[in-house]
């Protein structure tokens, strides 16, 4: 191992790396195409890609990942290009990594380590930091080269290399177990706190933005709310969950939650430890699944999102799929193929605003399908509730009568129940015909249901 040859992101000039991986026999893509995502990851982790190499084979060699001839070729490329590292597209066993490092004589970083490194760089809140730390601790410890300085200090130098001695290894293992247990305890405390926070939230309809990393989730959140969330053309810009109000035309407020992006071959340690970050998403009333429709990998990314949601136990939550970056789609044929996978997807461009009205309409149609409608009378004495009703429910129509304001509203049973408990009364629908109507404020959702019952 090349522990002395440590690569610290953000320190010194960027390291030039050769990327490598295996692809199935007959895969027509060039090495650069097949490793495009790895290159984006490497770029986000502040490496410079000096070259890409793939071997066509069915499975990885159990000892050296690449076949021995290809490994020699990789070593030769590293030597000629004076590269400072090699980066593998898959997770490697400690043994495979060691064999490769011995052959190429520079540090070998695998996909999981690269992702952990990016998460380490982007983690901002105590929760995100703890989650990264936990994932790093759990991730095949002997192979981690201690890139997290805080870990380094606490671990006091774990030596599995020559000279460290058996006793030292035991001491270090115990230290690690203690750290893992402590991180787990702290995370579950934060997670319980979050669950309480979510439960205490006023019963506003909540939409979680989920999807592959770089799909445009934060950009959409910024467009619809005034969140000011960092959105950039790098992978995993967002690691923390953030919730902001989205005011619909007509005044109703629903909540939007922006979450960490998903990725193919995400280290399972991260999926597990980021469960808490995604906790809020799992409590959403609707998932907005964003797909970068301009990516040649869009269909694979859609599948990955399905798989991760399934792993998180969120496969039953209602979903609305959104094809984003329509302005960048060149291959209309690919878009048509995507539509075959998700015939009800709404196409939008967060950049140009195209499709935003359709997205709003799709959300409103969903609300209309899952919520209840009733007619209520808000007596003048409870007039203070008026603005609250407008914020929490969709007001389909309202009429001012001598007794108060007669409204037809659509909301969740919880919200309706609370309105009825705090001063609103169920109204006799006939009262309306005697009065002069004021025009409905939200015409797009105004579908009358005369008896005021659930549709
Ligand atoms: N051309 C184009 N670019 C877009 C569009 N929507 C988002 N982007 C860009 O795509 C990149 C990623 O956007 P983000 O909003 O950070 O994506 P994200 O899904 O939040 O990504 P992570 O937080 O990394 O998971 C940014 O550079 C955006 O400016 C769009 O409709 N068209
Ligand atoms: Mg984001």
């Amino acid at each position: 191992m090349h522990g002395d040859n440590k690569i610290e992101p953000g320190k010194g000039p960027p390291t030039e790396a050769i990327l490598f991986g295996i692809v199935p026999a007959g895969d027509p893509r060039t090495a650069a195409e097949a490793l495009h995502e790895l290159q984006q990851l490497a770029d986000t982790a502040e490496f410079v890609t000096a070259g890409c190499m793939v071997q066509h084979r069915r499975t990885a060699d159990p000892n050296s990942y690449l076949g021995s001839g290809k490994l020699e070729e990789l070593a030769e490329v590293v030597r000629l290009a004076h590269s400072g590292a090699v980066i593998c597209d898959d997770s490697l066993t400690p043994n495979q990594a060691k064999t490769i490092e011995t052959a190429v004589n520079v540090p070998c970083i695998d996909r999981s380590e690269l992702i952990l490194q990016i998460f380490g760089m982007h983690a901002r809140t105590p929760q995100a930091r703890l989650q990264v730390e936990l994932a790093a601790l759990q991730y095949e410890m002997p192979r981690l080269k201690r890139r997290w300085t805080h870990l380094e200090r606490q671990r006091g130098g774990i030596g599995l290399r020559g000279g460290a001695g058996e006793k030292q290894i035991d001491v270090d293992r115990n230290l690690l177990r203690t750290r893992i247990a402590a991180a787990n305890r702290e995370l579950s405390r934060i997670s319980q706190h979050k669950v309480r926070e979510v439960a205490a939230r006023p019963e506003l309809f909540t939409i979680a933005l989920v999807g592959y990393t770089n799909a445009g989730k934060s950009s959409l959140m910024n467009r619809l709310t005034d969140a000011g969330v960092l959105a950039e053309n790098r992978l995993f810009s967002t690691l923390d969950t953030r919730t902001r109000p989205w005011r619909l035309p007509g005044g109703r407020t629903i909540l939007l939650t922006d979450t960490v992006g998903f990725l193919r071959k995400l280290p399972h340690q991260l999926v597990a430890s980021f469960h808490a970050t995604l906790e809020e998403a799992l409590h959403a009333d609707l998932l907005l699944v964003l797909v970068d429709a301009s990516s040649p990998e869009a269909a694979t990314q859609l599948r990955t999102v399905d798989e991760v949601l399934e792993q998180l136990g969120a496969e039953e939550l209602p979903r609305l799929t959104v094809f984003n970056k329509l302005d960048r789609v060149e291959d209309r044929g690919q878009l048509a193929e995507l539509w075959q996978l998700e015939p009800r997807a709404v196409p939008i461009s967060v950049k140009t605003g195209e499709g935003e009205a359709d997205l709003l309409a799709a959300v409103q149609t969903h609300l209309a399908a899952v919520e209840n409608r009733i007619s209520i009378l808000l007596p003048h004495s409870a007039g203070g509730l008026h603005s609250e009703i407008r914020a929490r429910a969709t007001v389909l129509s309202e009429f001012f009568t001598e007794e108060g304001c007669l409204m037809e509203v659509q909301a969740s049973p919880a919200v309706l129940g609370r309105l009825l408990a705090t001063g609103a009364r169920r109204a006799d629908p006939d009262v309306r015909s005697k009065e002069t109507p004021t025009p409905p404020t939200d015409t797009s959702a105004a579908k009358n249901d005369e008896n005021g019952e659930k549709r």
Side-chain angles (χ1 to χ4, degrees):
M1 304 277 272
H2 291 257
D4 300 337
N5 214 353
K6 262 190 305 182
I7 297 164
E8 305 228 8
K11 288 191 185 149
T15 304
E16 295 202 3
I18 305 288
L19 316 189
F20 67 100
I22 56 175
V23 292
D27 189 325
R29 292 174 301 171
T30 63
E33 282 167 357
L35 299 178
H36 174 69
E37 183 174 277
L38 187 67
Q39 189 172 341
Q40 281 182 297
L41 286 168
D43 176 56
T44 304
E46 296 174 8
F47 286 96
V48 171
T49 299
C52 293
M53 176 186 273
V54 290
Q55 181 169 35
H56 289 89
R57 54 184 295 151
R58 214 157 46 87
T59 53
D61 183 287
N63 295 316
S64 55
Y65 183 76
L66 295 174
S68 58
K70 201 72 182 175
L71 190 55
E72 272 172 35
E73 211 179 295
L74 180 65
E76 183 66 7
V77 172
V78 167
R79 203 175 55 75
L80 289 174
H82 302 291
S83 306
V86 291
I87 303 181
C88 180
D89 193 35
D90 284 293
S91 291
L92 297 167
T93 64
N95 192 32
Q96 286 171 328
K98 194 163 169 237
T99 310
I100 294 169
E101 286 194 334
T102 308
V104 299
N105 208 31
V106 291
C108 172
I109 293 143
D110 75 357
R111 185 182 178 90
S112 297
E113 237 178 318
L114 192 63
I115 295 168
L116 283 170
Q117 197 160 309
I118 295 169
F119 275 55
M121 288 159 68
H122 292 183
R124 306 257 182 275
T125 61
Q127 184 187 19
R129 283 179 197 279
L130 262 174
Q131 284 163 334
V132 175
E133 179 180 336
L134 184 62
L137 288 167
Q138 289 171 334
Y139 173 72
E140 304 195 37
M141 280 313 304
R143 289 184 50 262
L144 271 184
K145 298 181 196 86
R146 285 163 281 161
R147 300 213 171 85
W148 292 272
T149 40
H150 61 285
L151 263 186
E152 206 167 25
R153 251 180 275 119
Q154 280 150 7
R155 292 190 335 185
I158 287 169
L160 292 191
R161 276 167 281 144
E166 280 298 313
K167 276 206 180 118
Q168 187 57 39
I169 292 171
D170 287 342
V171 170
D172 289 342
R173 278 202 189 117
N174 281 337
L175 193 66
L176 274 184
R177 280 194 203 105
T178 314
R179 287 289 310 141
I180 288 177
N184 262 325
R185 266 199 309 277
E186 183 58 15
L187 271 176
S188 91
R189 197 187 59 76
I190 295 177
S191 164
Q192 279 166 11
H193 178 73
K194 283 237 164 193
V195 169
R196 279 198 300 275
E197 219 177 67
V198 172
R201 211 173 258 163
E203 315 96 342
L204 292 178
F205 191 89
T206 305
I207 296 180
L209 296 166
V210 297
Y212 212 75
T213 179
N214 218 37
K217 301 177 292 296
S218 301
S219 306
L220 180 61
M221 171 104 159
N222 285 341
R223 188 167 182 108
L224 300 177
T225 74
D226 55 359
V229 179
L230 175 72
E232 55 179 355
N233 197 16
R234 296 205 140 190
L235 305 189
F236 297 115
S237 304
T238 310
L239 286 189
D240 307 311
T241 305
R242 225 181 262 210
T243 301
R244 291 285 180 276
W246 175 22
R247 265 174 74 90
L248 306 187
R252 180 169 179 183
T253 299
I254 61 180
L255 296 178
L256 271 189
T257 297
D258 184 22
T259 56
V260 57
F262 302 161
L263 188 81
R264 201 167 53 88
K265 299 195 243 176
L266 192 67
H268 70 269
Q269 296 89 344
L270 271 182
V271 174
S273 64
F274 269 71
H275 202 279
T277 302
L278 290 163
E279 193 82 57
E280 287 186 64
L282 302 183
H283 285 88
D285 299 298
L286 173 66
L287 296 179
L288 221 57
V289 179
L290 238 73
V291 182
D292 174 358
S294 73
S295 163
E297 301 291 325
T300 319
Q301 295 178 355
L302 200 53
R303 239 190 337 270
T304 302
V305 171
D306 277 348
E307 284 164 14
V308 178
L309 286 175
E310 204 173 311
Q311 282 170 29
L312 292 167
E315 70 272 30
E316 299 294 335
L317 280 178
R319 280 187 221 184
L320 184 62
T321 306
V322 176
F323 292 157
N324 187 29
K325 307 201 188 179
L326 208 58
D327 59 290
R328 274 187 64 191
V329 175
E330 284 164 9
D331 183 354
R332 291 275 152 178
Q334 185 195 306
L335 195 59
E337 279 172 30
L338 277 181
W339 251 309
Q340 289 199 327
L341 297 174
E342 287 291 336
R344 296 173 61 190
V346 182
I348 65 164
S349 162
V350 174
K351 190 173 172 187
T352 65
E354 189 183 352
E356 200 179 311
D358 297 331
L359 175 60
L360 174 66
V363 168
Q364 281 172 326
T365 303
H366 177 82
L367 288 172
V370 297
E371 293 186 330
N372 293 359
R373 293 172 173 210
I374 59 169
S375 294
I376 55 169
L377 179 74
L378 192 64
H380 294 304
S381 58
L385 267 182
H386 193 260
S387 58
E388 193 182 327
I389 294 174
R390 296 201 75 88
R392 305 212 167 164
T394 303
V395 178
L396 302 167
S397 63
E398 58 182 351
F399 304 81
F400 290 94
T401 73
E402 278 172 17
E403 289 176 78
C405 183
L406 186 63
M407 307 172 98
E408 188 177 13
V409 295
Q410 171 201 300
S412 69
V415 168
L416 294 177
R418 220 164 53 77
L419 292 180
L420 293 173
T422 50
R425 293 206 308 263
R426 254 187 193 270
D428 169 5
D430 288 335
V431 179
R432 177 185 322 176
S433 55
K434 300 174 202 148
E435 306 297 331
T436 320
T438 54
T441 41
D442 190 358
T443 46
S444 59
K447 286 181 236 142
N448 281 346
D449 181 0
E450 282 308 316
N451 59 15
E453 293 301 329
K454 186 175 179 171
R455 295 185 322 134

mmCIF file of all heavy atoms in Angstrom, residues 214 216-219 229-232 236-239 258-261, ligand 2:
data_model
loop_
_atom_site.group_PDB
_atom_site.id
_atom_site.type_symbol
_atom_site.label_atom_id
_atom_site.label_comp_id
_atom_site.label_asym_id
_atom_site.label_seq_id
_atom_site.Cartn_x
_atom_site.Cartn_y
_atom_site.Cartn_z
ATOM 1 N N ASN A 214 -27.047 15.088 -10.001
ATOM 2 C CA ASN A 214 -26.904 16.005 -11.127
ATOM 3 C C ASN A 214 -28.156 16.092 -12.015
ATOM 4 O O ASN A 214 -28.102 16.686 -13.090
ATOM 5 C CB ASN A 214 -25.689 15.622 -11.995
ATOM 6 C CG ASN A 214 -24.952 16.855 -12.516
ATOM 7 O OD1 ASN A 214 -24.841 17.846 -11.802
ATOM 8 N ND2 ASN A 214 -24.480 16.792 -13.744
ATOM 9 N N GLY A 216 -30.782 17.765 -11.408
ATOM 10 C CA GLY A 216 -31.355 19.120 -11.366
ATOM 11 C C GLY A 216 -32.321 19.328 -10.214
ATOM 12 O O GLY A 216 -33.130 20.259 -10.237
ATOM 13 N N LYS A 217 -32.220 18.489 -9.184
ATOM 14 C CA LYS A 217 -33.153 18.577 -8.050
ATOM 15 C C LYS A 217 -33.030 19.928 -7.340
ATOM 16 O O LYS A 217 -34.026 20.606 -7.096
ATOM 17 C CB LYS A 217 -32.875 17.441 -7.038
ATOM 18 C CG LYS A 217 -32.998 16.055 -7.635
ATOM 19 C CD LYS A 217 -32.648 14.979 -6.633
ATOM 20 C CE LYS A 217 -31.185 14.964 -6.234
ATOM 21 N NZ LYS A 217 -30.258 14.657 -7.344
ATOM 22 N N SER A 218 -31.796 20.293 -7.006
ATOM 23 C CA SER A 218 -31.608 21.563 -6.278
ATOM 24 C C SER A 218 -31.994 22.743 -7.157
ATOM 25 O O SER A 218 -32.549 23.733 -6.664
ATOM 26 C CB SER A 218 -30.158 21.701 -5.820
ATOM 27 O OG SER A 218 -29.817 20.620 -4.981
ATOM 28 N N SER A 219 -31.707 22.643 -8.462
ATOM 29 C CA SER A 219 -32.082 23.738 -9.370
ATOM 30 C C SER A 219 -33.594 23.918 -9.396
ATOM 31 O O SER A 219 -34.094 25.045 -9.383
ATOM 32 C CB SER A 219 -31.593 23.449 -10.792
ATOM 33 O OG SER A 219 -30.227 23.183 -10.799
ATOM 34 N N VAL A 229 -30.302 26.940 -2.656
ATOM 35 C CA VAL A 229 -29.497 25.738 -2.439
ATOM 36 C C VAL A 229 -28.396 25.689 -3.494
ATOM 37 O O VAL A 229 -28.598 26.089 -4.637
ATOM 38 C CB VAL A 229 -30.392 24.467 -2.585
ATOM 39 C CG1 VAL A 229 -29.579 23.206 -2.387
ATOM 40 C CG2 VAL A 229 -31.533 24.518 -1.592
ATOM 41 N N LEU A 230 -27.237 25.219 -3.096
ATOM 42 C CA LEU A 230 -26.132 25.103 -4.044
ATOM 43 C C LEU A 230 -26.498 24.108 -5.146
ATOM 44 O O LEU A 230 -26.868 22.971 -4.873
ATOM 45 C CB LEU A 230 -24.879 24.612 -3.302
ATOM 46 C CG LEU A 230 -23.667 24.323 -4.181
ATOM 47 C CD1 LEU A 230 -23.046 25.612 -4.698
ATOM 48 C CD2 LEU A 230 -22.635 23.510 -3.427
ATOM 49 N N ALA A 231 -26.407 24.557 -6.390
ATOM 50 C CA ALA A 231 -26.660 23.659 -7.521
ATOM 51 C C ALA A 231 -25.502 23.839 -8.485
ATOM 52 O O ALA A 231 -25.214 24.947 -8.909
ATOM 53 C CB ALA A 231 -27.980 24.012 -8.202
ATOM 54 N N GLU A 232 -24.799 22.793 -8.779
ATOM 55 C CA GLU A 232 -23.684 22.943 -9.709
ATOM 56 C C GLU A 232 -23.453 21.659 -10.486
ATOM 57 O O GLU A 232 -23.964 20.598 -10.128
ATOM 58 C CB GLU A 232 -22.412 23.363 -8.966
ATOM 59 C CG GLU A 232 -22.055 22.432 -7.835
ATOM 60 C CD GLU A 232 -20.795 22.840 -7.123
ATOM 61 O OE1 GLU A 232 -20.139 23.783 -7.563
ATOM 62 O OE2 GLU A 232 -20.457 22.179 -6.140
ATOM 63 N N PHE A 236 -23.036 14.965 -6.474
ATOM 64 C CA PHE A 236 -23.259 15.067 -5.031
ATOM 65 C C PHE A 236 -23.020 16.471 -4.487
ATOM 66 O O PHE A 236 -22.315 16.652 -3.513
ATOM 67 C CB PHE A 236 -22.391 14.059 -4.270
ATOM 68 C CG PHE A 236 -22.733 12.650 -4.602
ATOM 69 C CD1 PHE A 236 -21.809 11.838 -5.241
ATOM 70 C CD2 PHE A 236 -23.976 12.137 -4.306
ATOM 71 C CE1 PHE A 236 -22.126 10.537 -5.566
ATOM 72 C CE2 PHE A 236 -24.302 10.841 -4.634
ATOM 73 C CZ PHE A 236 -23.372 10.033 -5.262
ATOM 74 N N SER A 237 -23.620 17.472 -5.146
ATOM 75 C CA SER A 237 -23.538 18.835 -4.603
ATOM 76 C C SER A 237 -24.318 18.899 -3.303
ATOM 77 O O SER A 237 -23.959 19.614 -2.382
ATOM 78 C CB SER A 237 -24.167 19.831 -5.568
ATOM 79 O OG SER A 237 -23.563 19.747 -6.813
ATOM 80 N N THR A 238 -25.418 18.172 -3.267
ATOM 81 C CA THR A 238 -26.279 18.206 -2.083
ATOM 82 C C THR A 238 -26.063 16.950 -1.256
ATOM 83 O O THR A 238 -26.146 15.846 -1.785
ATOM 84 C CB THR A 238 -27.766 18.241 -2.508
ATOM 85 O OG1 THR A 238 -27.934 19.264 -3.462
ATOM 86 C CG2 THR A 238 -28.686 18.459 -1.324
ATOM 87 N N LEU A 239 -25.784 17.125 0.017
ATOM 88 C CA LEU A 239 -25.719 15.950 0.903
ATOM 89 C C LEU A 239 -26.715 16.064 2.040
ATOM 90 O O LEU A 239 -26.998 15.097 2.717
ATOM 91 C CB LEU A 239 -24.314 15.796 1.495
ATOM 92 C CG LEU A 239 -23.232 15.279 0.543
ATOM 93 C CD1 LEU A 239 -21.974 14.973 1.313
ATOM 94 C CD2 LEU A 239 -23.693 14.027 -0.175
ATOM 95 N N ASP A 258 -35.433 18.781 -0.692
ATOM 96 C CA ASP A 258 -34.330 18.440 -1.609
ATOM 97 C C ASP A 258 -33.435 17.420 -0.898
ATOM 98 O O ASP A 258 -33.194 17.534 0.297
ATOM 99 C CB ASP A 258 -33.527 19.707 -1.916
ATOM 100 C CG ASP A 258 -32.430 19.471 -2.943
ATOM 101 O OD1 ASP A 258 -32.529 18.504 -3.716
ATOM 102 O OD2 ASP A 258 -31.476 20.272 -2.972
ATOM 103 N N THR A 259 -33.004 16.417 -1.625
ATOM 104 C CA THR A 259 -32.243 15.344 -0.969
ATOM 105 C C THR A 259 -30.940 15.030 -1.704
ATOM 106 O O THR A 259 -30.694 15.528 -2.786
ATOM 107 C CB THR A 259 -33.063 14.036 -0.946
ATOM 108 O OG1 THR A 259 -33.425 13.724 -2.285
ATOM 109 C CG2 THR A 259 -34.301 14.156 -0.101
ATOM 110 N N VAL A 260 -30.171 14.167 -1.082
ATOM 111 C CA VAL A 260 -28.936 13.664 -1.669
ATOM 112 C C VAL A 260 -29.281 12.873 -2.941
ATOM 113 O O VAL A 260 -30.308 12.215 -3.015
ATOM 114 C CB VAL A 260 -28.209 12.785 -0.625
ATOM 115 C CG1 VAL A 260 -29.064 11.658 -0.137
ATOM 116 C CG2 VAL A 260 -26.888 12.252 -1.154
ATOM 117 N N GLY A 261 -28.418 12.969 -3.935
ATOM 118 C CA GLY A 261 -28.673 12.253 -5.187
ATOM 119 C C GLY A 261 -28.271 10.792 -5.104
ATOM 120 O O GLY A 261 -27.496 10.394 -4.245
HETATM 121 MG MG1 LIG B 2 -28.502 18.993 -5.303
#
